[in-house]
Structures are given as C-alpha cells and as structure tokens.
Amino acid sequence: MNARHGIDATASSRHPPTTKLGRRSYVTTATATWVNREATAEELIPLIGKLHRENGVVLSIHGRSLVNKSVIELLKLHDFVSHIDGAPLNPAHSLELVRALAELNLGACSINIAALHKAHREAGSPELSMWLPEQLGSSVNHQGDQPKEQDVVLYGFGRIGRLLARILLERSSSPLGSGLNLRAVVVRKNGDQDLVKRASLLERDSVHGPFKGVIEVDEENSTIIANGVPVRFIYSSDPNTVDYTEYGINDALLVDNTGRWRDVPGLEQHLNRPGISRVLLTAPGKGDMKNIVFGVNDNVITDEDKILSAASCTTNAITPALKVLDDAYGVERGHVETVHAFTNDQNLIDNFHKGDRRGRSAVLNMVITETGAAKAVSKALPQLEGKLTGNAIRVPTPDVSMAILNVKLTKPAGSAEELNELFRRESIDGELRRQVGYSDSPEAVSTDFVGSRTAGVVDSLATVVTDDSAIVYVWYDNEFGYSCQVIRVLERMGGYDVPSYPAK
C-alpha cells in the first residue's frame, strides 16, 4: 500500500512486520502504523491548543482548522492532503514542525502546516530552527501582542445569525481575544421561554450538528454564556429604540442578517443608534451600496464606508470562480444555473406566498425561481457587466447548493484537465485559496460539503471544455461557507488582519 492510501512509509518503518501486544497477540503492520499515527496525533493536540490559547496562533491544513479537533479528525485532515498534494501529510512531520513553532514565541497568526511542510521539503529540508524564523519573521517573538478589539452585534438570530455566532464564539476561546468580540444579539421576544429556546437553537442544529462547547442560560440578565463568553440578548422590534452604550457596547460593527432593510436609508437606522459605528448587511444591497465578495473586491473597503453588503451566498460562490476564469481566459458571456437548497422564505406545504411558485411545498418540489446573483457579480467584477444571465431551481435539501457556470471564453481553455489544474492550483496557493475549493472525488455529493469554509468548491470531475466553451460545477454551503465570507468582511471592516503563512 502506498502513501495515498493512508500508510506512511516513514512511520511503518519504525515497526517490525508484526508487533507483540498484550496476551501475546499480534497485529499487522497496518494496525501498528495506525496505532503509531494515533499516538502522534495525541501528542499534537495539546501543542495545537497551547499555541492557540497562549499565542493566538491558528494552525490549519489547507483551510481546515486544527483547533479543538479529535485524534480521528486530525488524522483525517492529514489524509485529506492527498487530494491536494497527491500524498497524505505524515503526522510525525507535523509534530516535528509544530514543536519547532512552539519555540518561536509567535504572535497571533494563521499557519497552514501542510503548505509550510511542503515549502520546507522543497527547500531541501533545512534545520527548522534556522528556516522557520525566516518564513515567519513578522510574527516571531511577538507573543502576547494584543490584536485590535472590535465589538460585534448581531441583529437577528436566524440561520446565518446563529452560524455567525458559532464562528465568532469558536474564535473567542483564546485569552488573547479573536479581534471580533460578539457582545449582543437583537431579536424580537417570542414568549417567556424565548432565551432558553434560542440557546437551544444555538446548541443544536439539524444540519451543522451540535455546538462545540458549553452553553449556559442566565435568564435574569438576558444572557447566554457560550464557552465562557457572555452574549447579551436585547429584545426590540424597532432598531430605533436601542441604545447599545447602555450595555457597555461602543464603536461596534452591527451585522443585520434579517434582510428586512436592504438600502442605505433602512440600514441607517442602526448606524444612528448610540454604540454602533458601521453596519454590514448579509444580503445583496440595493442602490449604490458596495457589495463585497471577500477575496475579489474587499480592497475597495475604506474607513469612510459605514454601510456595506456582503452580497448573497450564490454571488460569493460564483464570483471567485468567474474571476479565475476571466483572469486566465477572459469571459465573453455566460449563464449561471443555480440548484439551491430550500430556504425559510418558502412554504413547507402548499400555502399562499406573495412570490411566484414559492408557495408550493419546498420539501416536495423542485421550484423554479428568480436569482439576481448573476447580475450581482458585476458589482464585484465590473468587467462582467451585462455578460451573465441566471436562473435558480430550489430543491428539497436543507443546505448546500450548486452553481453551474456555462461560459464562452475569449480564448480556448485547451482541455478540462488544463482548466481543472488552474482551479486546483488556485485552491492551494492562489490569492483566492480561501474562496475557491477543489474536489476530485468521484463519490462527492452535496452533504460532503456541509461545513465547507470556502465560498465554493469546484467539482473537477464534472468540468466540460469544448474549444472556447467551459462548464464548471461549483458546490457551496450556502449557510456556513457564506457565513465564513461574512466574517472575513467583518475582519476587514474592523481592521483585524493577522498574517497568514506561508506567505503568498
């Protein structure tokens, strides 16, 4: 068996063909190797946790965080590297690397250890104690440096609001702070058990699983305490009635995830309240409001921008992939067909709905509906203005959608293999690596992409290229992947920007 199938030649060479264990029983080389890998992962866990808690360092493998992972989850992530680099990452190599990182007194940063290990190997495997400081120069000996702190308020606590809360709370487990501090949630009160029920919805999710941590409810103070972080719930049905400074909140970023107001005059209601300095909308903005797709046009954000939109989940999924195509070959025109999971806007069973077709049962029907995502792409990529059309089909699944990009290119792409290699490389070390994922699995289906942190994942086995025409299939977690993009925009707005390594 070779490395791609999960057997590490380096690790297995430490064991004889059979190893005596307990009651004079014998295990195979494969089992002995697995036991060794488990032991190595167990050594990694406290080192990963300590770097996160004491240094604010987030270790990852190609965009997948290693913080708070179990032994099995760590080993699966090491094997996942084979889909990107052609062979799994040896946990023993990771352990050696992480031990060396722990000696550098690092400041807050993000480190892709798979990419760092690959760069080390390509450099000829020099002594880590000499090589690493050169790679991480701006973060070495900066332990204890406090990142810029920014209060965050969530206005609304639906599907996106709760996922934003989960991500923010996940990042708050380091005493150094995450930069973005979730302070409050504003909702309308729905009965005496409102806070208990909202805590339960945060703790349990039918799609995304249980909350990773401990949640307590302090009804007397209208507060949910999640992993030691108190989050005040403010009850209001009118944004004009809230004074956030009464709760010790100042200069906060407010995220409106209700979709109730989508223009500047509507969102200015938040901006005019004491304690709020900037507003981010989690829906396409109307009028002249800047629609931001992080990774593509976040460079247009200025300190003067007080109200911004994070666009839609579909716009976030397709725009990075279209940018890759446009940069490499040019896009003359195209059509985007979205196969989208049903949303709370639809009816569970047939009933009146003001929108066409959306009144029919979401769990029983495929429903053709409109989407503005294709036209909205031009707000992030002006050069594609008027070049894209789009339709959407809502389907009976609760999460993960697919966008099918059918485009005519200015110059031929050559072959599907050439186009796929372009996306594969982008997903590894391109400027859009946090937005563009890549899959080469012949068995991948929609549920495999639940929890994906990229804006979209190209399904390479579905790519079709004919001369100057290309069809690209992009999976996206329209809830969690989009929420990750929203958090990235928040970080930019709040001036929280820790370095990432290896540097591009």
Side-chain angles (χ1 to χ4, degrees), residues 403-425:
I404 305 168
L405 314 180
N406 192 337
V407 297
K408 185 178 186 301
L409 304 172
T410 303
K411 59 181 181 180
S415 65
E417 291 74 20
E418 177 184 323
L419 194 59
N420 284 335
E421 180 60 17
L422 176 70
F423 280 113
R424 191 184 76 86
R425 293 306 315 172

mmCIF file of all heavy atoms in Angstrom, residues 403-425:
data_model
loop_
_atom_site.group_PDB
_atom_site.id
_atom_site.type_symbol
_atom_site.label_atom_id
_atom_site.label_comp_id
_atom_site.label_asym_id
_atom_site.label_seq_id
_atom_site.Cartn_x
_atom_site.Cartn_y
_atom_site.Cartn_z
ATOM 1 N N ALA A 403 -23.821 25.728 -8.218
ATOM 2 C CA ALA A 403 -23.929 26.682 -9.319
ATOM 3 C C ALA A 403 -23.243 26.082 -10.538
ATOM 4 O O ALA A 403 -22.120 25.570 -10.446
ATOM 5 C CB ALA A 403 -23.283 28.007 -8.954
ATOM 6 N N ILE A 404 -23.932 26.101 -11.670
ATOM 7 C CA ILE A 404 -23.376 25.580 -12.920
ATOM 8 C C ILE A 404 -23.047 26.778 -13.811
ATOM 9 O O ILE A 404 -23.943 27.513 -14.232
ATOM 10 C CB ILE A 404 -24.367 24.636 -13.618
ATOM 11 C CG1 ILE A 404 -24.785 23.522 -12.658
ATOM 12 C CG2 ILE A 404 -23.736 24.051 -14.879
ATOM 13 C CD1 ILE A 404 -25.963 22.700 -13.144
ATOM 14 N N LEU A 405 -21.756 26.993 -14.029
ATOM 15 C CA LEU A 405 -21.290 28.122 -14.828
ATOM 16 C C LEU A 405 -21.053 27.659 -16.253
ATOM 17 O O LEU A 405 -20.159 26.831 -16.517
ATOM 18 C CB LEU A 405 -19.983 28.683 -14.250
ATOM 19 C CG LEU A 405 -19.914 28.896 -12.734
ATOM 20 C CD1 LEU A 405 -18.551 29.454 -12.334
ATOM 21 C CD2 LEU A 405 -21.024 29.802 -12.260
ATOM 22 N N ASN A 406 -21.836 28.178 -17.173
ATOM 23 C CA ASN A 406 -21.694 27.827 -18.595
ATOM 24 C C ASN A 406 -21.225 29.086 -19.318
ATOM 25 O O ASN A 406 -22.009 30.014 -19.540
ATOM 26 C CB ASN A 406 -23.038 27.349 -19.149
ATOM 27 C CG ASN A 406 -22.905 26.711 -20.521
ATOM 28 O OD1 ASN A 406 -21.956 26.968 -21.254
ATOM 29 N ND2 ASN A 406 -23.871 25.882 -20.871
ATOM 30 N N VAL A 407 -19.935 29.140 -19.650
ATOM 31 C CA VAL A 407 -19.358 30.381 -20.156
ATOM 32 C C VAL A 407 -18.654 30.192 -21.493
ATOM 33 O O VAL A 407 -18.131 29.110 -21.793
ATOM 34 C CB VAL A 407 -18.353 30.971 -19.141
ATOM 35 C CG1 VAL A 407 -19.046 31.344 -17.850
ATOM 36 C CG2 VAL A 407 -17.219 29.993 -18.862
ATOM 37 N N LYS A 408 -18.696 31.268 -22.284
ATOM 38 C CA LYS A 408 -17.911 31.335 -23.516
ATOM 39 C C LYS A 408 -16.673 32.161 -23.215
ATOM 40 O O LYS A 408 -16.774 33.296 -22.730
ATOM 41 C CB LYS A 408 -18.702 31.973 -24.656
ATOM 42 C CG LYS A 408 -17.957 31.953 -25.988
ATOM 43 C CD LYS A 408 -18.793 32.557 -27.099
ATOM 44 C CE LYS A 408 -18.099 32.405 -28.451
ATOM 45 N NZ LYS A 408 -16.757 33.046 -28.493
ATOM 46 N N LEU A 409 -15.506 31.601 -23.499
ATOM 47 C CA LEU A 409 -14.238 32.233 -23.151
ATOM 48 C C LEU A 409 -13.659 33.003 -24.336
ATOM 49 O O LEU A 409 -13.919 32.673 -25.496
ATOM 50 C CB LEU A 409 -13.242 31.172 -22.691
ATOM 51 C CG LEU A 409 -13.711 30.285 -21.525
ATOM 52 C CD1 LEU A 409 -12.716 29.158 -21.286
ATOM 53 C CD2 LEU A 409 -13.899 31.120 -20.273
ATOM 54 N N THR A 410 -12.876 34.010 -24.022
ATOM 55 C CA THR A 410 -12.234 34.797 -25.074
ATOM 56 C C THR A 410 -11.183 33.971 -25.807
ATOM 57 O O THR A 410 -11.036 34.065 -27.024
ATOM 58 C CB THR A 410 -11.574 36.050 -24.470
ATOM 59 O OG1 THR A 410 -12.564 36.806 -23.771
ATOM 60 C CG2 THR A 410 -10.939 36.905 -25.552
ATOM 61 N N LYS A 411 -10.464 33.153 -25.071
ATOM 62 C CA LYS A 411 -9.507 32.249 -25.686
ATOM 63 C C LYS A 411 -9.729 30.841 -25.149
ATOM 64 O O LYS A 411 -10.149 30.667 -24.006
ATOM 65 C CB LYS A 411 -8.073 32.705 -25.428
ATOM 66 C CG LYS A 411 -7.664 32.810 -23.977
ATOM 67 C CD LYS A 411 -6.229 33.302 -23.858
ATOM 68 C CE LYS A 411 -5.801 33.389 -22.392
ATOM 69 N NZ LYS A 411 -4.399 33.880 -22.246
ATOM 70 N N PRO A 412 -9.482 29.812 -25.962
ATOM 71 C CA PRO A 412 -9.772 28.438 -25.558
ATOM 72 C C PRO A 412 -9.015 28.029 -24.302
ATOM 73 O O PRO A 412 -7.872 28.438 -24.081
ATOM 74 C CB PRO A 412 -9.323 27.612 -26.764
ATOM 75 C CG PRO A 412 -9.348 28.558 -27.915
ATOM 76 C CD PRO A 412 -8.966 29.885 -27.345
ATOM 77 N N ALA A 413 -9.665 27.201 -23.498
ATOM 78 C CA ALA A 413 -9.036 26.702 -22.270
ATOM 79 C C ALA A 413 -8.159 25.491 -22.533
ATOM 80 O O ALA A 413 -7.400 25.075 -21.660
ATOM 81 C CB ALA A 413 -10.104 26.347 -21.245
ATOM 82 N N GLY A 414 -8.251 24.906 -23.716
ATOM 83 C CA GLY A 414 -7.418 23.755 -24.062
ATOM 84 C C GLY A 414 -8.106 22.449 -23.760
ATOM 85 O O GLY A 414 -8.508 21.707 -24.657
ATOM 86 N N SER A 415 -8.267 22.153 -22.486
ATOM 87 C CA SER A 415 -8.888 20.895 -22.091
ATOM 88 C C SER A 415 -9.444 21.028 -20.677
ATOM 89 O O SER A 415 -9.116 21.969 -19.941
ATOM 90 C CB SER A 415 -7.857 19.761 -22.124
ATOM 91 O OG SER A 415 -6.845 19.971 -21.143
ATOM 92 N N ALA A 416 -10.284 20.062 -20.310
ATOM 93 C CA ALA A 416 -10.820 20.047 -18.946
ATOM 94 C C ALA A 416 -9.698 19.885 -17.935
ATOM 95 O O ALA A 416 -9.731 20.481 -16.856
ATOM 96 C CB ALA A 416 -11.847 18.924 -18.802
ATOM 97 N N GLU A 417 -8.689 19.081 -18.299
ATOM 98 C CA GLU A 417 -7.553 18.860 -17.400
ATOM 99 C C GLU A 417 -6.802 20.164 -17.137
ATOM 100 O O GLU A 417 -6.394 20.444 -15.996
ATOM 101 C CB GLU A 417 -6.607 17.816 -17.986
ATOM 102 C CG GLU A 417 -7.144 16.392 -18.023
ATOM 103 C CD GLU A 417 -8.190 16.187 -19.104
ATOM 104 O OE1 GLU A 417 -8.244 16.997 -20.057
ATOM 105 O OE2 GLU A 417 -8.972 15.222 -18.984
ATOM 106 N N GLU A 418 -6.613 20.966 -18.177
ATOM 107 C CA GLU A 418 -5.912 22.241 -18.019
ATOM 108 C C GLU A 418 -6.707 23.192 -17.126
ATOM 109 O O GLU A 418 -6.155 23.848 -16.240
ATOM 110 C CB GLU A 418 -5.695 22.888 -19.388
ATOM 111 C CG GLU A 418 -5.025 24.260 -19.325
ATOM 112 C CD GLU A 418 -4.904 24.927 -20.690
ATOM 113 O OE1 GLU A 418 -4.657 24.203 -21.680
ATOM 114 O OE2 GLU A 418 -5.073 26.160 -20.759
ATOM 115 N N LEU A 419 -8.017 23.234 -17.356
ATOM 116 C CA LEU A 419 -8.862 24.119 -16.560
ATOM 117 C C LEU A 419 -8.902 23.671 -15.107
ATOM 118 O O LEU A 419 -8.826 24.485 -14.176
ATOM 119 C CB LEU A 419 -10.272 24.138 -17.143
ATOM 120 C CG LEU A 419 -11.203 25.246 -16.646
ATOM 121 C CD1 LEU A 419 -10.625 26.612 -16.941
ATOM 122 C CD2 LEU A 419 -12.577 25.102 -17.290
ATOM 123 N N ASN A 420 -9.017 22.370 -14.904
ATOM 124 C CA ASN A 420 -9.040 21.841 -13.535
ATOM 125 C C ASN A 420 -7.738 22.121 -12.799
ATOM 126 O O ASN A 420 -7.744 22.428 -11.603
ATOM 127 C CB ASN A 420 -9.307 20.333 -13.550
ATOM 128 C CG ASN A 420 -10.755 20.012 -13.832
ATOM 129 O OD1 ASN A 420 -11.647 20.817 -13.584
ATOM 130 N ND2 ASN A 420 -11.005 18.817 -14.357
ATOM 131 N N GLU A 421 -6.628 22.014 -13.499
ATOM 132 C CA GLU A 421 -5.338 22.290 -12.861
ATOM 133 C C GLU A 421 -5.255 23.749 -12.436
ATOM 134 O O GLU A 421 -4.670 24.066 -11.383
ATOM 135 C CB GLU A 421 -4.194 21.955 -13.814
ATOM 136 C CG GLU A 421 -2.798 22.213 -13.240
ATOM 137 C CD GLU A 421 -2.480 21.411 -11.988
ATOM 138 O OE1 GLU A 421 -3.181 20.415 -11.704
ATOM 139 O OE2 GLU A 421 -1.508 21.782 -11.287
ATOM 140 N N LEU A 422 -5.862 24.628 -13.208
ATOM 141 C CA LEU A 422 -5.907 26.055 -12.847
ATOM 142 C C LEU A 422 -6.635 26.235 -11.517
ATOM 143 O O LEU A 422 -6.142 26.943 -10.615
ATOM 144 C CB LEU A 422 -6.613 26.837 -13.956
ATOM 145 C CG LEU A 422 -6.837 28.330 -13.703
ATOM 146 C CD1 LEU A 422 -5.520 29.083 -13.733
ATOM 147 C CD2 LEU A 422 -7.804 28.897 -14.748
ATOM 148 N N PHE A 423 -7.787 25.580 -11.383
ATOM 149 C CA PHE A 423 -8.550 25.697 -10.144
ATOM 150 C C PHE A 423 -7.855 24.978 -8.987
ATOM 151 O O PHE A 423 -7.895 25.444 -7.838
ATOM 152 C CB PHE A 423 -9.952 25.135 -10.337
ATOM 153 C CG PHE A 423 -10.892 26.074 -11.035
ATOM 154 C CD1 PHE A 423 -11.382 25.776 -12.299
ATOM 155 C CD2 PHE A 423 -11.278 27.261 -10.438
ATOM 156 C CE1 PHE A 423 -12.248 26.641 -12.951
ATOM 157 C CE2 PHE A 423 -12.144 28.137 -11.080
ATOM 158 C CZ PHE A 423 -12.623 27.825 -12.340
ATOM 159 N N ARG A 424 -7.223 23.848 -9.268
ATOM 160 C CA ARG A 424 -6.527 23.117 -8.211
ATOM 161 C C ARG A 424 -5.407 23.959 -7.626
ATOM 162 O O ARG A 424 -5.251 24.048 -6.403
ATOM 163 C CB ARG A 424 -5.963 21.798 -8.741
ATOM 164 C CG ARG A 424 -5.453 20.863 -7.648
ATOM 165 C CD ARG A 424 -4.816 19.611 -8.237
ATOM 166 N NE ARG A 424 -3.490 19.894 -8.763
ATOM 167 C CZ ARG A 424 -2.366 19.880 -8.030
ATOM 168 N NH1 ARG A 424 -2.422 19.604 -6.735
ATOM 169 N NH2 ARG A 424 -1.203 20.144 -8.572
ATOM 170 N N ARG A 425 -4.622 24.585 -8.480
ATOM 171 C CA ARG A 425 -3.526 25.418 -8.006
ATOM 172 C C ARG A 425 -4.053 26.634 -7.245
ATOM 173 O O ARG A 425 -3.478 27.031 -6.237
ATOM 174 C CB ARG A 425 -2.663 25.898 -9.183
ATOM 175 C CG ARG A 425 -1.896 24.822 -9.911
ATOM 176 C CD ARG A 425 -1.037 23.971 -9.003
ATOM 177 N NE ARG A 425 -0.265 24.739 -8.036
ATOM 178 C CZ ARG A 425 0.437 24.212 -7.040
ATOM 179 N NH1 ARG A 425 0.450 22.893 -6.888
ATOM 180 N NH2 ARG A 425 1.130 24.957 -6.218
#
